[in-house]
Amino acid sequence: MDATATKKKIVVKTKDASPKSETIMVTGSYLRSSNNSSANPVQVITAKQIQQTSAISLGDYLQRLPSIGSSGTPNQQTNGGGGVSCTDIRNFGSKRVLILIDGKRTAINAATSCVDLNTIPVEEIASVEMLKDGGSELYGADAVSGVINIKLRHDVTKATITMRGGISQYGDAKTGLLSAMKGFNFDHGRGNVTLFGQYNTSGGIMSQDRAWAANPQQTNPVTGTPVYGSSIIPAGRVTNPITGANLVSNGDGTFHRYSNADRYNFAKDTMVQNYNQNSALSGDAHYDVDSHFKPYANVRYSHTTTARQMAAAPVSGGIKPSPLLSSWTIPAGSPYNIWGRDAIMSRRMNDLGPRKMDYATDTWTVIGGAKGKIWRGWDYDASMTYGQSQYTANTQNMGNYRHLLQMTGVRQLDPTNPASKIVYDPTVCTSQPGCVLSNPLAPLSPAAAEYGKFTQHDHAMYQLRDFNLRINNSNVAKMPWQHGGDLGIAFGMEHRSEQLSSKPDPIVIAGDSTGNATSYTGGGFNVNEVYAEGQIPLLQNAFLAKDLTIDGQGRWSDYNTFGSTKNWKVSINWAPVRDIRFRATLGTSYRQPNVYELYGGQQLGYPSAVDPCASLSNYGGAQAAAVLARCNAQGINPATFVSQNTSQVPTVSGGNVKLQPESGRTYTIGTVVTPRWVPGLSASVTYWHYSLNNTIGTLTTQYILDQCYTGADTSQCGAIAARSVSQQLTSVSAIYQNLGGIRTSGIDFDLDYHVRLTPHDGLTISNNMQQLVSYLQQNVPNGQWYNYTGRLFYQGGSGQPRVSDYAQATWQHDDFSFTYMMRYIGGMVWNNGVTDVTPKTGGQYKTPGIFTHDITLGYRLNRWNFEAGVSNLFDKKPPFVMDTSTNTNIYQYGSLIVGRYAFLQAGISF
């Protein structure tokens, strides 16, 4: 166990007032032991540590910790995030970390592949335990990088009410929280009922309200002025079919030549942080009939809503597999066509209004079970968990591309072919109720705008059923030799099933949206599992062996989709004396594709990426020559070609039923020091190493384009759809597939120290630091290994800082407390997934190390607790990152978007 956990030795008083260690169950084992004797690297986070920060959700707090990577989904992800907060460990992604609540699985969000941490009320959390060396051998699939076990408050006997409010220095990002808890015992303490409710909101932020995000930068030239904004503009842009010149409509039938001065600043209508609202209710009850039968039940419900806004839909054509025209074209016979030939156009449909997304998710988790003693130290815990998540997404002001074509009199001679010949035919509009014939390059009338847009309604549902039986005995028999300890054994069985269904809007299914066409999808799987653990204390209280324990764990799983597999872990824990402990673990992992990766519906996103034919300067030497040759072969002259994709290429993602499982191996080696001569001090060092094979993931859009156009891997060309008539990229397919592998290693340094300064003063210090030694990734099977250590995926991806640190110090003086918190993120070089940006290829190519500072004041007055705090005390701005949409990297620096933020909290217990 790491330093955070080791310092928390629990003490109980016996009748003679002498202390003794209490045995508890710590995440990573089903056997009870003292809290500082586990070989597994477990970090324990207390409720107080969370509440001393400005975090209003658990996900916001976890972002502070060095072992938490930036491959999750933060609340700041306003483009495709689904309105959820998902975490990860070691940058393995949220799908490879298992989230448990009180040691049991819980329902995940119906629109994503993770547990939404926005749904877990922070005021209900008693502590959080993070197992950071995998856990598939004990907890099953998903626990590849580790396990986060959230322990809730139980056996409450008082009433507690907490109120909190906060606001940024800019007057936005307003937060509010109101929670209440009441518990009571009955039947002389044999039973308890605890009820909890919480309502909290977190305000959104508009991009235009942050100077650094107010105008998205689109290029990163070595010299000269960068380009800002989108090339798809509200006035409309058309290509002269005779000269090939790019023209902009003046709105009166005349045109001027397009230039960068015409580009549109889409940040004016875009949010850089979502608005979130969560209502949560829970009930917990248990009754001890006797020591053999203790039934319990827990019901948790949350209703989460998220709202965000993006600029009006850009329209340049249909997107595969839509049968509609791939390039929006003004027919030669149109009264608005002055050239006498078909003319290709694009336009940002501001007349329809900005796109407003509203997400609502209802999540239920119901647990019922019983536990107790069997016989002579054997205990059992049998439970059944049912979880359900229902998700609804409403997107207002989406463009109906079929209606837009009708309004402009466009008729495809072959309605099934997106490259069809067209003619001008006003009857395609006049024959449709509500359609208004319109000039495609002039403002639309209110009636025309109403016909050209629709509100998109999408639905998804996820279900979990989990039956679990655990049996354990920590004192089966004493080892038959001197100084031998007590043998511990645990085993169990589990049956789990998961199902997913996803139903897009009918207009989307038909391919009529300005997005891509998708279809209903659904499916599921079930698994039967058996697991066991054995713990053998070889020596206890012997010479140079205060404790020498070995532990073995194993799990056999049988999936109805992929057959059976076995996983195991072994560990050794040696304390030659009570002041120092050495520990090591070695284990395997296995992860079958989850229901989202297998059966998730295809959906369209706009990740940051640039068309190689419009950015030849990004390549050098032989690569530039290869890109030029391929573009020329497609009839494109990179010297004059202008991309309409605004550095965001339409990309189709979704499930793949042909996926195969992942497998991996993890080992850790470390030491924990708790010197008797420095009471209250605990320090640990842990080296960790993960290797993962056959990884399930998606290639980045830029990687696919670069590999194809530079000729490095022409097999990727098959993922790029045919270009439109105007030679624009229409879409890139980046569905889930089995890729290559990941190998990563690092060192954790943890320190905790508590010292009593005077009878009235105490000081508590904790520090968690991670030194990343290596992060290697193989993007395709048998492909090249890329070194991402110290790199940041600047086009909207995760970062791998070499050094990251989080420190917290609290001075307590009677009823008054002062807490200081510091976070450091090391500097990183920008990388596009293949190559680093250098001073020769980019005007900016790295981000510096970032320090942020928070403070919190606390005061206790009788039954009242008061807190006031400021986060990001010095208003540190997120560093510039050329992501073409936010001017930073929200995955790595999302916590800095709010700026300086102040909060007040008051709570009463009675």
Side-chain angles (χ1 to χ4, degrees):
M1 184 178 301
D2 69 5
T4 308
T6 9
K7 71 165 189 172
K8 296 177 56 59
K9 189 170 184 178
I10 297 176
V11 173
V12 295
K13 294 289 185 177
T14 61
K15 291 182 179 180
D16 61 0
S18 61
K20 67 177 183 179
S21 295
E22 180 186 8
T23 59
I24 60 176
M25 194 169 291
V26 181
T27 301
S29 173
Y30 284 145
L31 294 170
R32 302 171 72 85
S33 62
S34 61
N35 199 17
N36 67 342
S37 64
S38 171
N40 298 298
V42 178
Q43 180 175 350
V44 177
I45 303 159
T46 66
K48 186 175 182 180
Q49 287 175 310
I50 300 173
Q51 292 164 3
Q52 285 174 330
T53 70
S54 61
I56 202 169
S57 77
L58 179 59
D60 291 339
Y61 174 83
L62 292 177
Q63 280 185 304
R64 298 167 173 257
L65 304 180
S67 55
I68 297 297
S70 55
S71 296
T73 305
N75 283 322
Q76 294 78 23
Q77 187 173 341
T78 58
N79 187 354
V84 298
S85 173
C86 304
T87 193
D88 81 311
I89 295 178
R90 313 288 195 203
N91 264 327
F92 272 86
S94 56
K95 60 191 175 185
R96 297 190 183 100
V97 57
L98 177 61
I99 306 294
L100 303 176
I101 298 182
D102 289 328
K104 307 286 174 60
R105 286 179 177 262
T106 188
I108 58 182
N109 183 269
T112 61
S113 56
C114 68
V115 173
D116 182 9
L117 298 180
N118 288 328
T119 67
I120 302 171
V122 292
E123 292 297 317
E124 194 179 6
I125 297 173
S127 64
V128 178
E129 294 177 352
M130 294 175 54
L131 173 65
K132 299 187 291 185
D133 69 334
S136 294
E137 76 294 331
L138 196 63
Y139 297 101
D142 310 333
V144 175
S145 62
V147 177
I148 297 179
N149 183 25
I150 303 163
K151 293 187 173 181
L152 304 181
R153 301 179 189 271
H154 301 284
D155 290 314
V156 176
T157 57
K158 294 183 178 181
T160 302
I161 299 175
T162 304
M163 299 163 287
R164 172 185 281 215
I167 191 171
S168 77
Q169 72 173 69
Y170 302 98
D172 54 16
K174 298 176 183 177
T175 60
L177 179 148
L178 176 62
S179 72
M181 179 184 296
K182 178 66 177 82
F184 55 89
N185 291 334
F186 61 93
D187 194 10
H188 307 287
R190 295 173 66 183
N192 179 272
V193 174
T194 299
L195 302 175
F196 178 86
Q198 178 173 303
Y199 172 79
N200 62 270
T201 64
S202 178
I205 300 174
M206 296 297 296
S207 297
Q208 64 181 357
D209 294 331
R210 297 294 184 270
W212 50 266
N215 196 359
Q217 184 173 320
Q218 302 299 307
T219 62
N220 184 31
V222 176
T223 59
T225 304
V227 172
Y228 295 87
S230 170
S231 62
I232 303 183
I233 57 180
R237 200 179 85 193
V238 63
T239 301
N240 186 322
I242 301 173
T243 65
N246 283 278
L247 305 175
V248 176
S249 170
N250 295 323
D252 58 0
T254 63
F255 298 85
H256 67 268
R257 185 177 289 272
Y258 169 82
S259 70
N260 285 334
D262 294 302
R263 299 179 76 94
Y264 174 69
N265 180 6
F266 57 87
K268 295 186 296 183
D269 300 315
T270 301
M271 294 177 69
V272 74
Q273 176 170 289
N274 296 320
Y275 166 82
N276 283 295
Q277 177 179 280
N278 181 55
S279 303
L281 295 171
S282 70
D284 180 85
H286 70 83
Y287 182 72
D288 299 346
V289 176
D290 56 29
S291 62
H292 301 286
F293 185 57
K294 301 178 181 180
Y296 60 86
N298 182 275
V299 179
R300 298 189 303 272
Y301 168 75
S302 70
H303 176 73
T304 303
T305 58
T306 301
R308 68 178 185 227
Q309 180 175 300
M310 296 178 65
V315 183
S316 58
I319 296 175
K320 184 182 178 181
S322 171
L324 299 178
L325 206 60
S326 63
S327 291
W328 194 2
T329 307
I330 307 174
S334 170
Y336 310 109
N337 186 320
I338 63 174
W339 302 279
R341 300 182 186 178
D342 291 351
I344 295 169
M345 65 164 287
S346 66
R347 185 179 174 192
R348 185 172 295 273
M349 301 306 298
N350 278 19
D351 297 337
L352 308 183
R355 289 166 288 176
K356 297 181 178 181
M357 295 83 163
D358 298 290
Y359 307 99
T361 306
D362 293 283
T363 304
W364 287 89
T365 302
V366 180
I367 301 174
K371 58 184 178 181
K373 298 183 179 299
I374 301 174
W375 179 69
R376 292 191 176 183
W378 290 97
D379 296 329
Y380 75 95
D381 185 348
S383 65
M384 183 272 182
T385 301
Y386 175 78
Q388 184 183 97
S389 176
Q390 295 193 32
Y391 166 89
T392 300
N394 298 318
T395 306
Q396 301 178 49
N397 302 330
M398 282 295 291
N400 187 320
Y401 185 45
R402 183 179 296 274
H403 283 190
L404 292 176
L405 292 176
Q406 291 172 350
M407 290 161 53
T408 54
V410 177
R411 179 165 65 87
Q412 293 178 223
L413 298 182
D414 182 357
T416 65
N417 182 5
S420 168
K421 297 288 186 180
I422 60 172
V423 296
Y424 178 73
D425 182 358
T427 65
V428 298
C429 178
T430 57
S431 63
Q432 301 297 320
C435 184
V436 180
L437 272 175
S438 304
N439 182 348
L441 298 172
L444 299 178
S445 68
E450 190 65 28
Y451 187 74
K453 65 182 179 180
F454 75 103
T455 298
Q456 181 175 326
H457 304 283
D458 302 310
H459 302 274
M461 186 175 74
Y462 166 88
Q463 285 185 321
L464 164 73
R465 292 178 178 85
D466 187 39
F467 299 87
N468 212 315
L469 172 64
R470 301 172 184 172
I471 298 174
N472 68 83
N473 187 341
S474 298
N475 308 102
V476 176
K478 184 174 176 57
M479 294 294 98
W481 54 78
Q482 187 179 10
H483 298 295
D486 292 335
L487 171 68
I489 295 176
F491 59 89
M493 299 176 289
E494 183 175 2
H495 172 80
R496 186 175 81 255
S497 64
E498 299 182 46
Q499 287 81 37
L500 171 73
S501 63
S502 176
K503 184 179 181 181
D505 189 283
I507 293 178
V508 175
I509 294 175
D512 292 354
S513 168
T514 49
N516 69 312
T518 63
S519 59
Y520 168 85
T521 60
F525 69 88
N526 62 74
V527 57
N528 295 303
E529 300 180 287
V530 178
Y531 51 88
E533 177 182 7
Q535 189 177 89
I536 306 175
L538 298 176
L539 293 172
Q540 303 249 295
N541 299 314
F543 176 69
L544 292 183
K546 180 69 176 177
D547 179 20
L548 177 59
T549 301
I550 60 173
D551 187 282
Q553 301 172 352
R555 190 178 189 98
W556 176 82
S557 306
D558 184 29
Y559 290 87
N560 71 319
T561 48
F562 298 101
S564 62
T565 184
K566 303 180 185 70
N567 290 285
W568 52 267
K569 179 194 281 188
V570 293
S571 64
I572 185 169
N573 198 355
W574 174 44
V577 294
R578 60 177 289 185
D579 307 286
I580 188 168
R581 181 179 298 274
F582 301 95
R583 60 191 184 181
T585 67
L586 172 64
T588 64
S589 64
Y590 172 94
R591 191 180 77 86
Q592 81 123 31
N594 61 40
V595 288
Y596 299 88
E597 293 163 328
L598 287 169
Y599 310 114
Q602 289 192 350
Q603 53 188 319
L604 183 73
Y606 290 86
S608 297
V610 293
D611 188 333
C613 294
S615 54
L616 191 61
S617 60
N618 289 353
Y619 308 90
Q623 286 189 339
V627 172
L628 177 62
R630 187 168 189 88
C631 294
N632 288 338
Q634 294 177 324
I636 301 172
N637 181 1
T640 58
F641 178 68
V642 177
S643 171
Q644 295 179 344
N645 288 308
T646 321
S647 301
Q648 293 179 316
V649 176
T651 302
V652 178
S653 61
N656 180 0
V657 295
K658 298 180 181 179
L659 292 173
Q660 295 299 309
E662 300 174 338
S663 62
R665 180 165 294 191
T666 304
Y667 65 84
T668 66
I669 303 172
T671 183
V672 181
V673 179
T674 53
R676 281 170 287 180
W677 55 90
V678 187
L681 174 64
S682 174
S684 71
V685 179
T686 303
Y687 173 81
W688 46 267
H689 182 278
Y690 294 78
S691 62
L692 188 62
N693 304 313
N694 209 34
T695 53
I696 299 169
T698 60
L699 296 173
T700 66
T701 304
Q702 192 66 62
Y703 179 88
I704 294 171
L705 292 169
D706 287 350
Q707 292 293 291
C708 171
Y709 276 80
T710 63
D713 182 3
T714 55
S715 67
Q716 298 298 333
C717 297
I720 304 172
R723 288 179 177 264
S724 67
V725 176
S726 59
Q727 299 294 355
Q728 300 293 325
L729 289 171
T730 55
S731 69
V732 172
S733 177
I735 64 172
Y736 285 110
Q737 56 184 299
N738 289 105
L739 303 176
I742 297 175
R743 298 173 186 166
T744 181
S745 60
I747 304 174
D748 287 344
F749 302 89
D750 298 293
L751 180 144
D752 288 271
Y753 183 49
H754 176 74
V755 59
R756 174 64 65 180
L757 301 174
T758 73
H760 300 279
D761 298 274
L763 178 65
T764 300
I765 299 173
S766 67
N767 189 81
N768 305 110
M769 175 182 174
Q770 176 179 283
Q771 171 71 55
L772 184 65
V773 175
S774 175
Y775 194 101
L776 304 176
Q777 185 166 315
Q778 186 185 48
N779 291 326
V780 293
N782 302 314
Q784 177 182 347
W785 287 89
Y786 293 94
N787 182 7
Y788 295 142
T789 313
R791 270 71 172 184
L792 175 70
F793 294 147
Y794 68 94
Q795 292 172 318
S798 62
Q800 307 285 354
R802 293 182 182 274
V803 178
S804 52
D805 188 84
Y806 180 65
Q808 184 170 335
T810 299
W811 168 55
Q812 183 80 41
H813 175 76
D814 292 333
D815 294 326
F816 172 84
S817 66
F818 173 78
T819 300
Y820 165 75
M821 293 152 279
M822 183 276 295
R823 184 187 182 195
Y824 174 73
I825 304 172
M828 288 171 281
V829 174
W830 298 355
N831 185 281
N832 68 356
V834 178
T835 58
D836 292 340
V837 182
T838 69
K840 294 182 179 180
T841 58
Q844 299 190 53
Y845 63 96
K846 63 180 179 179
T847 54
I850 300 293
F851 284 95
T852 55
H853 310 269
D854 305 345
I855 58 171
T856 298
L857 300 175
Y859 183 69
R860 181 173 180 83
L861 178 63
N862 299 323
R863 296 178 300 173
W864 286 90
N865 281 298
F866 298 95
E867 285 188 351
V870 179
S871 63
N872 197 356
L873 185 63
F874 301 110
D875 191 27
K876 187 68 177 179
K877 305 295 191 297
F880 172 76
V881 180
M882 217 288 291
D883 73 330
T884 73
S885 59
T886 65
N887 287 341
T888 191
N889 184 298
I890 59 170
Y891 303 93
Q892 190 69 63
Y893 305 108
S895 61
L896 301 177
I897 285 176
V898 173
R900 185 183 291 114
Y901 169 88
F903 71 93
L904 292 172
Q905 177 171 303
I908 184 172
S909 298
F910 54 92

